[in-house]
Amino acid sequence: VVLSKSKLGPRFAEALSACWRLFDRIETPVMLYTGTAYQEGAYLHVRLLAYLQTLEILHRELYGGSRQFPKECSWATTLAALRNALPGELPEELRCAISNGLSFQGGMNLVERLYDFYDRYPLCLAPIFPNRDSDMKALRDARNFLTHYTEQKKFTREFLFSTELYQMSEKTRWFVEVCLMGALGFKDNEIRELIRFF
């Protein structure tokens, strides 16, 4: 859909121009998406993981995504307080690992980014993911499972051989397409008109 001249019609030049203008910001997500969507031999779990990574990177590149601290100095103060609160009896290696992990406090997590995309394109995404909260959390949980392969209540090894994995992968592929179209300047209702033919 994204760069199909026959489907975009007179808006093809506009989409191409937007793509060129945003290239530095959307290059990585576009490469992840096209490299996955058009590599038919890729394992489904690899595809799903790549689509979710694409969404996360695309959102970060387009919208940033840090929770705002009131002032820059309050972030530094908060970080220092959290690091100072680490128990002294922890092994130094563990203290360093936890301390380094604290640096990511304040950044949006995947499910928050998915919510934001969902809320930008409800006409397109609600038919595919009718239960916003549980569906977005399921995508996050699937990503966590596929990243760490640690079994959890929702996902176990059986997920790797299930129709649920196939369905989730295909739905997430559409999710990425919708968001890429939005990045190129298409409105929710315009994207819906284009994708309803597929």
Side-chain angles (χ1 to χ4, degrees):
V1 173
V2 176
L3 288 177
S4 171
K5 190 171 185 178
S6 62
K7 296 295 180 195
L8 299 184
R11 296 207 52 196
F12 180 74
E14 184 183 329
L16 202 56
S17 173
C19 190
W20 181 258
R21 194 173 55 257
L22 291 168
F23 186 76
D24 288 343
R25 294 165 69 190
I26 66 172
E27 176 187 16
T28 301
V30 167
M31 285 191 319
L32 270 170
Y33 169 71
T34 56
T36 304
Y38 299 105
Q39 186 180 18
E40 293 301 322
Y43 289 109
L44 281 175
H45 62 283
V46 174
R47 283 185 182 169
L48 177 57
L49 196 52
Y51 294 150
L52 291 167
Q53 186 179 16
T54 299
L55 287 167
E56 188 164 26
I57 294 169
L58 183 65
H59 189 278
R60 189 176 62 235
E61 290 296 319
L62 293 177
Y63 307 113
S66 291
R67 299 184 200 94
Q68 296 299 313
F69 279 84
K71 296 183 280 189
E72 180 64 32
C73 64
S74 64
W75 181 83
T77 305
T78 302
L79 188 58
L82 289 169
R83 286 178 169 155
N84 289 335
L86 293 172
E89 65 270 8
L90 290 177
E92 184 59 30
E93 187 176 324
L94 180 58
R95 282 178 56 84
C96 286
I98 294 171
S99 179
N100 291 336
L102 290 172
S103 300
F104 297 102
Q105 295 304 313
M108 288 178 79
N109 59 38
L110 174 62
V111 79
E112 291 170 319
R113 294 180 189 281
L114 295 175
Y115 282 152
D116 187 48
F117 270 142
Y118 189 100
D119 294 341
R120 290 171 189 273
Y121 310 108
L123 289 175
C124 294
L125 296 175
I128 302 168
F129 299 101
N131 303 306
R132 175 188 179 269
D133 290 346
S134 60
D135 287 340
M136 297 304 101
K137 287 177 181 173
L139 289 175
R140 177 211 47 208
D141 293 344
R143 190 279 306 266
N144 291 344
F145 170 72
L146 293 172
T147 301
H148 306 293
Y149 289 96
T150 302
E151 297 202 356
Q152 46 185 276
K153 190 184 293 185
K154 173 77 177 149
F155 295 105
T156 62
R157 292 180 60 84
E158 283 71 36
F159 176 65
L160 297 172
F161 312 101
S162 68
T163 56
E164 183 184 7
L165 171 61
Y166 176 78
Q167 292 167 349
M168 187 178 280
S169 179
E170 289 301 300
K171 288 168 141 186
T172 309
R173 176 180 176 172
W174 279 110
F175 197 154
V176 174
E177 289 235 354
V178 166
C179 295
L180 285 172
M181 299 269 307
L184 297 179
F186 289 84
K187 303 282 187 271
D188 193 17
N189 61 324
E190 295 172 320
I191 301 169
R192 187 174 182 183
E193 279 303 302
L194 287 165
I195 66 174
R196 72 187 179 89
F197 296 110
F198 288 84

